[in-house]
């Protein structure tokens, strides 16, 4: 029988000691490897770098498809759209052939479809812009925003045109909603952002003939298209065909329509059904066509309408609800351009009595997301602008005394 110390030596002889040490080392190695893999996996998930989470890169941007109208349930802060990675950034060069051309059709991509309506008035036009963009998202078409055409009745000055891109940051909007937004000065050459001349009110010899849908001709009490000067300004000869009565959104009341119904009209099926209806749909043109010119059907590539103001998703006047579908999908992502922001800042300095190099007082501070992975501290100034039509003061107040009184009483409220 061996002594105790001899047994211990036998158990931990050199070969066995090597085996135990190797086993322990292997265990520690596997433990470290496992922990390292878990940490790496967690970091890659946080950074959005896991291959399973990466969408395939697109060769070229495409329209959004199958957009479902947003719920009308009010939410205090609708979620902001995540910024697109650089490789997904939209660019108008993919949606037109090149520089603005004299004939708009020469600049449209043959494999794409577009939509636009003529304007109404400045405040209404911004809402129509949103409706037009939202309709483009529904119908898989590229919206082309018309210029604003301010009137003397509204501004108290001679009317001028103002392109949408001079007011709102359209590249930022396109990227935020994942749908390209164009304006007419991208597509067709013209006298943009200039005072109106006498020739802008009348027809021209080089006006392009285009067929459009008229919602008002079918749904309004007057049974006549909403006729504006903007087609003349754009050198377009617009001839209207009334929409079928089936596009009336009866649950919203008479004279209304919906994005779903108009989107169906723009589909190949809906278009075929409408144009083959009996009796034929009514037509209207401001300028008679030559006897040898056939009345144009509503254009399929450039779908245009006389009035997109009274169009809804789920119920009448849903603009009163917050957030409305159109506002949440489009309006919340319409940011002013840097130039407009600088003009507003200039007048705020005047209101607060500040010098040109002094900062406008901040109202609050917070963190703003500038990229998907991080945010920064930034001053947030919260102000509300008022839609004040200068022409109303001149045309509807009985004397200059009341105009001065109105301005004085309201200016006292501004600093507060």
């Amino acid at each position: 029988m061996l002594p105790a110390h001899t047994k211990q030596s036998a158990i931990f002889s050199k070969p066995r000691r090597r085996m135990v040490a190797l086993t322990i080392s292997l265990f520690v190695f596997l433990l470290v490897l496992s922990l390292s893999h878990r940490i790496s996996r967690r970091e890659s998930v946080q950074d959005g770098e896991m291959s399973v989470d990466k969408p395939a890169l697109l060769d070229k941007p495409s329209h959004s498809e199958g957009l479902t109208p947003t719920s009308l349930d009010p939410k205090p802060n609708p979620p902001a759209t995540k910024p697109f990675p650089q490789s997904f950034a939209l660019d108008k060069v993919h949606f037109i052939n090149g520089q603005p051309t004299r004939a708009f059709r020469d600049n449209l991509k043959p494999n794409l479809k577009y939509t636009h309506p003529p304007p109404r008035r400045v405040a209404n036009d911004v809402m129509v812009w949103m409706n037009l963009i939202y309709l483009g998202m529904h119908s898989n078409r590229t919206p082309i925003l018309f210029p604003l055409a301010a009137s003397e009745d509204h501004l108290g000055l001679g009317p001028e045109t103002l392109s949408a891109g001079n007011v709102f940051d359209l590249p930022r909007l396109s990227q935020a909603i994942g749908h390209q937004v164009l304006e007419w000065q991208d597509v067709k050459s013209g006298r943009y952002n200039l005072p109106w001349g006498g020739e802008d009110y009348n027809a021209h010899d080089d006006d392009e003939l285009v067929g459009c849908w008229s919602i008002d001709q079918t749904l309004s009490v007057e049974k006549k298209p909403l006729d504006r000067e903007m087609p003349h300004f754009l050198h377009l000869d617009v001839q209207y065909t009334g929409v079928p009565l089936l596009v009336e959104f009866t649950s919203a009341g008479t004279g209304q329509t919906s994005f779903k119904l108009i989107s169906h009209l723009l589909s190949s099926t809906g278009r075929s059904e409408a144009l083959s209806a009996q009796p034929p749909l009514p037509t209207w043109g401001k300028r008679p066509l030559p006897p040898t010119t056939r009345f144009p059907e509503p254009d399929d590539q450039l779908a245009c309408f006389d009035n997109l103001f009274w169009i809804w998703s789920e119920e009448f006047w849903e603009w009163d609800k917050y957030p409305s579908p159109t506002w949440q999908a489009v309006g919340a992502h319409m940011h002013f351009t840097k130039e407009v922001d600088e003009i507003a800042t200039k007048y705020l300095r005047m209101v607060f009595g500040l010098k040109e190099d002094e900062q406008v007082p901040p109202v609050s501070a917070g963190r703003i997301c500038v990229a998907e992975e991080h945010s920064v501290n930034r001053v947030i100034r919260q102000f509300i602008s008022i839609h004040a039509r200068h022409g109303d003061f001149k045309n509807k107040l009985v004397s200059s005394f009341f105009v001065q009184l109105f301005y004085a009483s309201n200016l006292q409220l501004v600093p507060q």
Side-chain angles (χ1 to χ4, degrees):
M1 184 174 180
L2 295 173
H5 69 277
T6 306
K7 288 182 179 180
Q8 187 175 2
S9 299
I11 294 173
F12 292 99
S13 61
K14 282 188 176 182
R16 291 189 177 183
R17 283 203 301 269
R18 291 195 189 100
M19 183 65 68
V20 171
L22 182 61
T23 303
I24 293 174
S25 300
L26 181 61
F27 174 76
V28 172
F29 173 76
L30 292 175
L31 180 62
V32 171
L33 182 64
S34 176
L35 290 175
S36 174
H37 176 69
R38 291 187 180 184
I39 293 173
S40 174
R41 178 182 175 85
R42 187 179 299 113
E43 290 177 348
S44 65
V45 170
Q46 292 174 348
D47 294 339
E49 295 177 355
M50 288 187 64
S51 59
V52 294
D53 293 333
K54 276 190 175 181
L57 294 180
L58 301 177
D59 294 331
K60 61 180 180 179
S62 60
H63 294 298
S64 303
E65 296 186 20
L67 180 71
T68 303
T70 311
S71 171
L72 285 173
D73 295 337
K75 300 175 184 177
N77 293 308
T81 303
K82 293 183 179 180
F84 277 63
Q86 191 63 31
S87 56
F88 288 86
L90 295 174
D91 194 321
K92 62 185 179 185
V93 300
H94 299 291
F95 295 85
I96 50 179
N97 291 325
Q99 295 299 315
T101 53
R102 190 171 185 83
F104 76 86
R105 207 174 297 279
D106 293 341
N107 211 0
L108 302 184
K109 294 281 188 181
N111 60 324
L112 295 180
K113 292 188 177 182
Y114 306 79
T115 184
H116 99 103
R120 291 170 61 88
R121 288 290 183 245
V122 176
N124 294 345
D125 283 349
V126 175
M127 300 170 75
V128 172
W129 279 345
M130 297 182 200
N131 286 342
L132 172 63
I133 296 169
Y134 198 39
L135 176 62
M137 297 167 73
H138 271 275
S139 59
N140 195 29
R141 289 173 175 264
T142 302
I144 305 177
L145 305 185
F146 50 81
L148 294 175
S151 67
E152 187 174 356
D153 291 340
H154 284 189
L155 295 184
L157 304 171
E160 298 185 10
T161 62
L162 187 64
S163 295
N166 286 9
V167 183
F168 295 105
D169 189 339
L170 298 186
R172 180 179 179 182
L173 170 63
S174 299
Q175 183 170 328
I177 65 176
H179 198 90
Q180 183 64 50
V181 178
L182 299 175
E183 54 183 334
W184 268 102
Q185 67 178 7
D186 295 327
V187 178
K188 182 178 172 68
S189 57
R191 298 180 60 258
Y192 302 102
N193 307 311
L194 295 172
W196 278 55
E199 68 276 14
D200 294 322
Y201 290 96
N202 303 310
H204 311 86
D205 293 336
D206 64 346
D207 286 353
E208 298 178 78
L209 184 63
V210 59
C212 293
W213 292 105
S214 172
I215 295 176
D216 279 14
Q217 187 170 1
T218 301
L219 302 184
S220 71
V221 176
E222 294 80 8
K223 301 300 179 185
K224 180 182 177 181
L226 181 66
D227 184 36
R228 295 295 186 190
E229 298 86 2
M230 185 53 65
H232 294 314
F233 173 81
L234 295 172
H235 286 232
L236 300 178
D237 181 2
V238 176
Q239 304 287 324
Y240 289 104
T241 298
V243 297
L245 191 59
L246 292 175
V247 305
E248 186 170 32
F249 191 25
T250 53
S251 60
T254 57
Q256 319 292 316
T257 188
S258 73
F259 293 103
K260 181 178 180 180
L261 294 171
I262 293 297
S263 295
H264 175 70
L265 176 64
L266 297 183
S267 68
S268 57
T269 301
R271 175 183 173 84
S272 176
E273 293 171 350
L275 295 180
S276 61
Q278 292 297 328
L281 298 172
T283 58
W284 184 90
K286 189 172 185 178
R287 184 170 67 167
L289 296 176
T292 57
T293 302
R294 181 182 177 185
F295 194 92
E297 293 182 345
D299 201 283
D300 186 34
Q301 185 179 24
L302 178 66
C304 47
F305 298 87
D306 63 336
N307 190 353
L308 282 181
F309 187 78
W310 305 102
I311 182 171
W312 317 106
S313 292
E314 298 182 21
E315 58 182 286
F316 173 69
W317 205 246
E318 57 199 13
W319 282 101
D320 285 347
K321 294 189 176 291
Y322 179 78
S324 72
T326 309
W327 173 259
Q328 189 174 36
V330 180
H333 307 290
M334 294 177 69
H335 296 270
F336 291 115
T337 62
K338 180 182 177 182
E339 291 74 19
V340 171
D341 188 63
E342 288 175 348
I343 293 173
T345 302
K346 173 185 175 181
Y347 282 99
L348 285 171
R349 285 197 181 99
M350 294 172 58
V351 170
F352 286 105
L354 301 174
K355 296 180 181 178
E356 188 173 343
D357 58 345
E358 291 183 296
Q359 293 292 323
V360 176
V363 175
S364 63
R367 295 185 67 81
I368 297 179
C369 179
V370 295
E372 194 166 0
E373 66 275 5
H374 68 280
S375 60
V376 296
N377 287 320
R378 187 169 296 175
V379 171
I380 305 173
R381 298 188 179 94
Q382 298 173 346
F383 298 98
I384 297 175
S385 63
I386 301 173
H387 175 216
R389 303 192 333 188
H390 294 189
D392 288 347
F393 307 146
K394 184 184 74 172
N395 300 326
K396 297 185 180 181
L397 295 177
V398 294
S399 72
S400 59
F401 170 78
F402 290 107
V403 175
Q404 295 174 4
L405 181 64
F406 178 87
Y407 273 114
S409 61
N410 280 275
L411 286 176
Q412 291 176 3
L413 298 175
V414 172
Q416 301 177 14

